[in-house]
Every structure is written in structure tokens, then in C-alpha cells.
């Protein structure tokens, strides 16, 4: 969910990223040739490519069964102000469910699904399986079960500093969060929708021995949704980098500060 290596900017026409006066993670060097962001991009890339291939091979007629006309939305035409309407009153496995059968409901669903799929729960098989079967259609979940397990392999978890069950070392806090900034509807009918979610992601390990400090990145996550069983379900999804703003002149927090923030600041239920 994060991407890119740190870049230094000169004072001429650029803002500068300020690092702490001491190394934020106890002087431990970052792993050579990789970052936590690139590791997660690898996972997402593997899964997204597999999803795309499967979706292409199984693509059928997506026209609305009731003959309703599909509506196309240009990103620039989407309103930026939130509606203020409460999205849902229920949760399943800690994830908001039961979204309205409307464009607004589809946008709220996509936002909350991005948060769930970008959480630390994806790094544990049991919780990942629960999310897979909760958020995707039954057909999509069946196709993705194997690829997901391969993507979140024991080797990958080890590279992230996690054990085989997805747990961080004692004294360390593993961070993986998605924070939606906005959504736009690219396609909508009563039966299906395509919604893009622009978000900032956080990922990394906060701890004195961490070699992958928590970093941030900006991405866009696009979901193909289908109305199924009284809720919006994912049939396929894909991610791309950006759009990313110029980094601000912010001093990087210490490991302890990041760990404390993760413990103290909870997430939200997102509504369009």
C-alpha cells in the first residue's frame, strides 16, 4: 500500500521531508533493495493480476437484468462534499455491512471494504479468509482463495517481520491501514457498479529493532461491485499509484510515537 523510496528535495521549489534528529527506529538500517511499501505492492500486484486474468476469462454479459441504463461518471464530475448520511447500522466480523442499494451505498461499501482489505487482518489466514468470504461474491472468493494464500506466504510474512501467523515480534507494532480520501462512481446500474477509492496507506513495523519503519503512500483502489444477497459484493479489484501530493515539511515520528498513535487512534466507518 505504500510505494516508492524516500527522495531528497533541494530547497529550490520543493518542500522537504524532515527526519527525526535520531534514527526513528533505533538506528536499524532499512533493508537494502526493498521497502515495506514494495513488499506490499508485490502482494497486491500478484493478487490483482490474478484477479484480472480470472475476471477476463470469466467475463460475461454485465448488462442489467431489468434493462436499466448504465450511468457513466467522470471523476471530475463527482461531488466532493460528504452527504452526511449514515452508511450502515450493522457490522459483520468488525466490518460495516448492509449498505444501501444506491450509488451512495456502493461508494460507502467500496470505502469500507478498502479499509478492511488494507488492514492487519489480511496478514492472518483465518481473518483473511473471513474477509474474503464476507466482502467478495462466492464465485470470486472461491477463485481467490489459493492466490491469496500464495501472496501472503510464510516467506512474505517473514520479510515483513511477522511470524507465520502474521504476528509481530514482542515489543513491536505492525501497522497496515488504509484511509480513504474520496470516491467516485465510474459505472452504476441496479445490479453492478465500479467505484474508485482514493486513499493514503500506512504500512511498516514500529519497534526499536525494525528495519522497515512505517511509511505512507497514495493510491487509487478500484472495485467492481455486484448487488448480491442484499449487499454490495466485490467481483474484482485493482490498484494503481497516486495521485500523490508533494510531501510536506513534517518531522518523522519516533517508533514509540507511532506505536502509541496506532493504539490510541481508532478507525472510522466511512460514508459518501
Amino acid at each position: 500500500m505504500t510505494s516508492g523510496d524516500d527522495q531528497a528535495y533541494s530547497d529550490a521549489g520543493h518542500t522537504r521531508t524532515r527526519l527525526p534528529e535520531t534514527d526513528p527506529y533505533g538506528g536499524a538500517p532499512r533493508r537494502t533493495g526493498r521497502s515495506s511499501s514494495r513488499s506490499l505492492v508485490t502482494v497486491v500486484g500478484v493478487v490483482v493480476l490474478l484477479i484480472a486474468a480470472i475476471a477476463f476469462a470469466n467475463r460475461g454479459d454485465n448488462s442489467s437484468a431489468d434493462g436499466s441504463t448504465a450511468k457513466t461518471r467522470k471523476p471530475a464530475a463527482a461531488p466532493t462534499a460528504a452527504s452526511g448520511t449514515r452508511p450502515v447500522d450493522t457490522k459483520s466480523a468488525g466490518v460495516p455491512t448492509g449498505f444501501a442499494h444506491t450509488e451512495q451505498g456502493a461508494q460507502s461499501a467500496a470505502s469500507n471494504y478498502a479499509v478492511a482489505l488494507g488492514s492487519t487482518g489480511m496478514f492472518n489466514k483465518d481473518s483473511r479468509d473471513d474477509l474474503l468470504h464476507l466482502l467478495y461474491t462466492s464465485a470470486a472468493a472461491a477463485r481467490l482463495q489459493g492466490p491469496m494464500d500464495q501472496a501472503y506466504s510464510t516467506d512474505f510474512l517473514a520479510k515483513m517481520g511477522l511470524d507465520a501467523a502474521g504476528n509481530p515480534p514482542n515489543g513491536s507494532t505492525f501497522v497496515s491501514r488504509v484511509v480513504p480520501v474520496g470516491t467516485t462512481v465510474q459505472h452504476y446500474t441496479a445490479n453492478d457498479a465500479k467505484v474508485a477509492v482514493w486513499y493514503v496507506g500506512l504500512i511498516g513495523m514500529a519497534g526499536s529493532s525494525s528495519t522497515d519503519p512505517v511509511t505512507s503512500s497514495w493510491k487509487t483502489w478500484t472495485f467492481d461491485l455486484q448487488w448480491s444477497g442484499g449487499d454490495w459484493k466485490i467481483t474484482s479489484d485493482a490498484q494503481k499509484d497516486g495521485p500523490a501530493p508533494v510531501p510536506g515539511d513534517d518531522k518523522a515520528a519516533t517508533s514509540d510515537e507511532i506505536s502509541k498513535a496506532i493504539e490510541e487512534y481508532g478507525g472510522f466507518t466511512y460514508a459518501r
Side-chain angles (χ1 to χ4, degrees), residues 50-267:
L50 287 166
I51 293 172
I54 294 169
F56 182 84
N58 293 278
R59 181 170 295 175
D61 183 5
N62 292 325
S63 60
S64 171
D66 60 5
S68 58
T69 302
K71 292 182 283 185
T72 301
R73 291 285 182 270
K74 294 181 179 179
T80 57
S83 67
T85 301
R86 183 179 179 86
V88 293
D89 296 315
T90 58
K91 287 188 176 183
S92 299
V95 180
T97 55
F99 293 92
H101 194 182
T102 61
E103 285 190 39
Q104 180 175 304
Q107 291 180 80
S108 295
S111 297
N112 288 282
Y113 295 171
V115 171
L117 293 172
S119 70
T120 56
M122 290 296 290
F123 295 81
N124 173 271
K125 178 169 173 54
D126 290 340
S127 59
R128 182 172 65 250
D129 288 348
D130 289 342
L131 289 172
L132 184 65
H133 292 285
L134 176 65
L135 305 183
Y136 289 81
T137 62
S138 57
R143 293 194 302 265
L144 290 173
Q145 183 77 63
M148 283 282 193
D149 289 342
Q150 291 178 6
Y152 289 91
S153 66
T154 301
D155 288 343
F156 169 74
L157 295 178
K159 290 178 181 178
M160 297 298 293
L162 305 171
D163 64 19
N167 299 313
N170 290 333
S172 297
T173 301
F174 180 61
V175 180
S176 182
R177 285 197 182 187
V178 161
V179 184
V181 176
T183 61
T184 186
V185 176
Q186 298 178 347
H187 164 86
Y188 179 82
T189 71
N191 293 337
D192 55 66
K194 181 185 286 288
V195 179
V197 181
W198 181 35
Y199 73 89
V200 59
L202 304 175
I203 190 166
M205 188 77 73
S208 59
S209 61
S210 172
T211 59
D212 281 311
V214 179
T215 57
S216 63
S217 69
W218 293 81
K219 290 183 178 293
T220 300
W221 204 336
T222 302
F223 294 91
D224 288 305
L225 303 172
Q226 177 181 306
W227 184 255
S228 175
D231 206 353
W232 291 106
K233 301 290 184 178
I234 306 169
T235 58
S236 63
D237 57 296
Q239 294 196 58
K240 66 178 182 180
D241 294 337
V246 176
D249 190 20
D250 300 317
K251 179 180 178 180
T254 65
S255 172
D256 287 343
E257 289 172 334
I258 290 292
S259 296
K260 184 178 180 181
I262 291 299
E263 293 172 358
E264 292 183 349
Y265 294 90

